[in-house]
Amino acid sequence: MSLIILTLPIFWVNKCSTPFIRTAQAMKTLHRVFGYAIVAVAIAYIIFAAPHIVAAQSHTVINAGHLVDVENGRILTGQQILVTDGHISEVGPRVAAPDGAQRIDLSDSYVMPGLIDAHTHLALQEMDGSDIDDHGSYYYASLIEDTSMRVAQGTMLARAMLEAGFVWVRDTGNNGLYGDVTLRRAIEGGWIPGPNMVTAGRMIAPFGGQFQMNPEKPDLGEPEYFYADSHTEIIRAVRENVHYGATFIKLIIDNQPYIYSVDDVRVAVEEAHDMGVKVMAHAASDEGIRNAVLGGVDSIEHGFNPSDETLELMADRGTYLVGTDFPASRLGETRYWSNVERNKRAHAIGVPMAFGSDVVYYEEGKTRGEQTIGFLFSYVDAELPNAHILRMATMHAADLLGANSGRLEAGRNADIIAMPANPLDDVSALYGVSFVMKDGHVYKEGGQFRWDIPTKLNNPRRKQPRGNMLRQR
Ligand SMILES: [Zn+2]
């Protein structure tokens, strides 16, 4: 390339080099032409050669003894995965590994895409000992702890999630004043270990949010909730949220006697989608779910009481259900089995479903990550195929989040986990995750978590570029 650019001006000068025109003007032209040529060579060098010199590619070959083909619900034995610069570049019985590639031996393990939790609250842990009405326990947490304390707690919970095999989470509000955005930036910058995050910022809700206000202290729901009642306020709330770093908008639809209408939801969705940001809706009642679906949201959170008609509407429109089913020990048998029955109906009707936990409390002896895996069992009780449950927690959740993850195929981020037992036989195998790779970086190997304090830090952005979240990244 550079050779051609260099020879062109010489050829041109030779062509014009009769004694008659060998003048000072011709010499000037010659200089100018050589000047252009040098610039052209420099540009060509920057485009074609420099990147390869500046960043040598890193290659890792993983020997995957049992590769869990989540999409087709089967095990492929004796596979290899080639990871190049944080991405999967090839999967097959024998990949073309360059000389000097690093090797990771998982030949005795079951290897699958990293887990994704589409409904977390990393900066919320309920306070114990409260049994007042109106969601008392997390009301207390939001009143007593400031955002900085909750982010400190979130650094611990983020690490717990990654250690358990969760490589992506969608954090769904209840983070004080953008505590989730702070966590996301710290993780993206490599300051702390944790899953990649999608962040909701402040939850947008009709007056009162999810709390019962005291008329002498009407602001106690803030900053947890962003009250927005008119369409102008809703647009403002969406914009302000995105400005401060929300990468997904969350609406609270039906916690008050006055619920968001289809039109209210549509206003928020149009504003958010126009910026490339998706919208989720906290909705429990059939009417609330229906309004949110008709208003165009991307997912329904909780969705405890949908009619079959509403589930059919969700299936038709491709609206995800993120069930968030607390175990019976926490929720009581009646409500738990009602959720199990809803999962059966949703699956039979063909509603797209993504796994989301909603863990917000301690369970002695378990990390937040282990607790989260426990939330998969409402789908086991609903007798959904194990492969489908794994798809909900990998590829389906990735599609909802807009994350380039959830599948072991070329071009995806190298988000890979492994464990000694087969999760297709028993979902409990996920409790034994012994290997975790996120974006090509190993965080857990041989059951041991490892993380080195980085010597090169990034300063990650607060907000995402326009259109980012509707594209895969
Ligand atoms: Zn929640």
Side-chain angles (χ1 to χ4, degrees):
M1 177 76 193
S2 33
L3 202 67
I4 296 167
I5 294 169
L6 267 176
T7 40
L8 270 178
I10 295 166
F11 178 71
W12 183 83
V13 169
N14 278 345
K15 212 172 145 223
C16 307
S17 289
T18 64
F20 188 67
I21 59 161
R22 198 177 290 148
T23 61
Q25 198 186 350
M27 286 311 287
K28 254 191 213 164
T29 311
L30 190 70
H31 277 136
R32 201 183 312 139
V33 167
F34 269 106
Y36 288 146
I38 287 162
V39 170
V41 169
I43 290 170
Y45 176 81
I46 289 164
I47 292 172
F48 295 104
H52 304 290
I53 293 166
V54 172
Q57 287 189 314
S58 80
H59 300 281
T60 304
V61 178
I62 298 173
N63 285 327
H66 314 271
L67 192 135
V68 186
D69 175 1
V70 168
E71 188 154 15
N72 299 300
R74 59 182 180 169
I75 299 292
L76 304 171
T77 53
Q79 299 291 299
Q80 291 187 322
I81 304 168
L82 177 62
V83 174
T84 306
D85 290 344
H87 286 77
I88 295 171
S89 48
E90 197 183 341
V91 183
R94 189 160 182 81
V95 298
D99 288 343
Q102 199 194 327
R103 302 251 165 198
I104 293 174
D105 182 27
L106 297 174
S107 50
D108 292 334
S109 299
Y110 289 82
V111 180
M112 62 173 274
L115 298 171
I116 301 174
D117 184 346
H119 192 116
T120 61
H121 297 284
L122 293 184
L124 177 66
Q125 188 92 267
E126 289 191 351
M127 311 298 284
D128 282 339
S130 57
D131 60 354
I132 60 167
D133 292 339
D134 311 319
H135 306 284
S137 46
Y138 65 83
Y139 190 12
Y140 269 164
S142 70
L143 293 183
I144 293 169
E145 302 297 359
D146 59 16
T147 305
S148 53
M149 182 61 180
R150 292 167 65 176
V151 170
Q153 174 186 263
T155 60
M156 179 258 292
L157 298 177
R159 177 187 150 157
M161 291 298 283
L162 185 61
E163 193 162 349
F166 289 90
V167 292
W168 272 91
V169 301
R170 186 180 58 156
D171 210 73
T172 58
N174 283 119
N175 291 297
L177 197 56
Y178 299 105
D180 54 341
V181 176
T182 304
L183 270 177
R184 172 171 64 71
R185 294 177 68 202
I187 291 168
E188 285 174 3
W191 304 4
I192 56 169
N196 286 318
M197 290 178 75
V198 171
T199 47
R202 293 171 67 194
M203 295 166 287
I204 300 172
F207 178 76
Q210 291 179 271
F211 296 158
Q212 175 59 55
M213 290 299 130
N214 167 352
E216 291 171 1
K217 300 182 173 67
D219 300 334
L220 289 184
E222 295 173 321
E224 209 79 358
Y225 296 91
F226 198 134
Y227 302 150
D229 291 281
S230 69
H231 289 184
T232 308
E233 287 169 349
I234 290 171
I235 290 171
R236 165 79 191 201
V238 170
R239 290 182 178 181
E240 198 171 312
N241 243 341
V242 170
H243 181 86
Y244 288 127
T247 55
F248 216 108
I249 292 296
K250 183 177 182 187
L251 303 176
I252 304 290
I253 305 291
D254 57 358
N255 265 101
Q256 302 291 347
Y258 35 88
I259 75 174
Y260 273 149
S261 67
V262 177
D263 274 350
D264 294 337
V265 174
R266 193 172 286 137
V267 165
V269 168
E270 279 176 5
E271 185 63 29
H273 280 186
D274 184 50
M275 291 182 277
V277 175
K278 291 185 180 181
V279 180
M280 67 181 118
H282 164 113
S285 65
D286 188 49
E287 190 188 358
I289 298 168
R290 214 177 159 74
N291 285 2
V293 174
L294 290 172
V297 301
D298 300 280
S299 69
I300 297 293
E301 310 301 299
H302 318 301
F304 292 131
N305 302 299
S307 62
D308 282 355
E309 220 183 3
T310 301
L311 289 174
E312 277 157 19
L313 191 68
M314 291 175 71
D316 285 350
R317 300 184 60 128
T319 314
Y320 280 82
L321 174 65
V322 180
T324 72
D325 299 332
F326 283 65
S329 57
R330 184 79 182 181
L331 203 58
E333 294 289 333
T334 312
R335 286 182 63 196
Y336 175 74
W337 288 100
S338 158
N339 288 343
V340 168
E341 186 267 342
R342 173 264 266 133
N343 291 341
K344 272 188 188 169
R345 285 192 294 131
H347 181 60
I349 288 171
V351 177
M353 294 161 84
F355 172 64
S357 67
D358 203 18
V359 183
V360 290
Y361 60 94
Y362 276 122
E363 203 178 329
E364 207 171 317
K366 286 186 180 166
T367 68
R368 176 67 74 91
E370 290 162 346
Q371 274 181 285
T372 302
I373 288 168
F375 277 55
L376 286 163
F377 289 89
S378 69
Y379 303 103
V380 176
D381 286 338
E383 294 169 2
L384 267 61
N386 286 347
H388 193 75
I389 298 171
L390 298 184
R391 284 193 286 271
M392 287 173 57
T394 54
M395 47 193 280
H396 292 173
D399 291 345
L400 172 59
L401 269 60
N404 187 28
S405 187
R407 291 168 176 85
L408 299 184
E409 62 187 23
R412 299 278 172 183
N413 296 350
D415 294 338
I416 301 168
I417 60 171
M419 65 219 80
N422 184 353
L424 286 175
D425 288 344
D426 184 349
V427 172
S428 304
L430 295 171
Y431 283 120
V433 167
S434 54
F435 173 86
V436 178
M437 172 183 273
K438 188 194 83 169
D439 294 325
H441 184 89
V442 177
Y443 287 90
K444 193 177 188 182
E445 200 168 12
Q448 293 299 309
F449 191 79
R450 62 177 218 220
W451 184 74
D452 299 322
I453 295 169
T455 50
K456 181 177 179 296
L457 293 177
N458 298 316
N459 194 16
R461 278 177 304 209
R462 186 183 294 277
K463 56 188 171 187
Q464 299 292 315
R466 181 181 162 88
N468 191 58
M469 293 315 294
L470 288 184
R471 288 199 303 268
Q472 299 253 314
R473 70 184 177 114

